[in-house]
Amino acid sequence: MSVFFYGCVTLDGYLADKNHRLDWLHETGGTEDTGYEDFYRKMDITLMGRRTFREIQGMENPEEIYPTTVNYVFTHGTLEQKGFLPVTGDAEDFVRNLPKEKNVWVIGGNTILAPLLDAGLIDGMIVQIAPVLLGAGIPLFTQKEAAMRFHLDKVSQYGQFAELAYSRK
């Protein structure tokens, strides 16, 4: 199993604005301007938190956004959205119990990403950087204070986005 983070941040490191909105991203460009399709084809499972899921719910036809993956949402509530399965508990334990032959994409914020980084479960990160400064917002990285090393594998440009692909050292 390989676990990846794939997402976009602003130049000043924010994943979302202070209201958890992604308007800045949608105004910058779409997935057709990136390597998203190639990445998604390799994934079997997606993991996201409730806030990321709410953003997806606001899109047109949310059930069609991730059609070929099993999509889990960490939440304490219920879900009534077709194509998404609720899960509770610890993200680290959940990931450790997934089938070993599956590729997992951690979508969205640091609530799930930080504990997986702390546990050494993130194998790769693809971080796109948008030419936007928010000044405040939801930071991508909030893991414990500890040095973690990754290896830069590739740098790409997609329109206005810079993409940095890293693997765990």
Side-chain angles (χ1 to χ4, degrees), residues 118-168:
D118 290 337
L121 292 174
I122 299 296
D123 298 299
M125 292 191 287
I126 299 172
V127 180
Q128 294 171 348
I129 301 171
V132 176
L133 294 169
L134 291 179
I138 310 304
L140 173 58
F141 298 110
T142 60
Q143 74 282 354
K144 293 177 184 172
E145 189 174 324
M148 294 180 199
R149 303 257 182 227
F150 287 82
H151 180 265
L152 178 63
D153 297 319
K154 186 176 178 185
V155 177
S156 303
Q157 180 178 350
Y158 297 103
Q160 290 298 301
F161 296 96
E163 183 177 273
L164 308 171
Y166 296 96
S167 58
R168 186 170 52 177

Side-chain angles (χ1 to χ4, degrees), residues 14-55:
Y14 296 111
L15 191 59
D17 70 19
K18 60 186 175 184
N19 298 315
H20 298 271
R21 303 284 307 159
L22 298 175
D23 298 340
W24 63 269
L25 177 59
H26 302 303
E27 293 166 359
T28 306
T31 58
E32 65 278 355
D33 298 331
T34 67
Y36 170 79
E37 293 296 330
D38 290 334
F39 173 81
Y40 182 69
R41 274 193 287 278
K42 298 173 189 168
M43 295 300 108
D44 302 298
I45 296 169
T46 69
L47 303 178
M48 67 192 78
R50 183 70 176 188
R51 288 186 184 127
T52 301
F53 176 68
R54 272 193 239 135
E55 188 71 25

Side-chain angles (χ1 to χ4, degrees), residues 66-126:
Y66 306 117
T68 63
T69 49
V70 178
N71 307 300
Y72 293 102
V73 179
F74 282 85
T75 181
H76 296 290
T78 59
L79 296 180
E80 297 181 14
Q81 179 63 58
K82 182 181 174 188
F84 295 87
L85 302 169
V87 63
T88 59
D90 181 75
E92 178 185 345
D93 290 338
F94 184 80
V95 168
R96 288 188 192 280
N97 289 306
L98 289 172
K100 300 298 180 215
E101 70 278 0
K102 301 296 183 182
N103 285 325
V104 180
W105 174 19
V106 177
I107 301 174
N110 54 42
T111 303
I112 297 169
L113 182 60
L116 296 179
L117 278 166
D118 290 337
L121 292 174
I122 299 296
D123 298 299
M125 292 191 287
I126 299 172

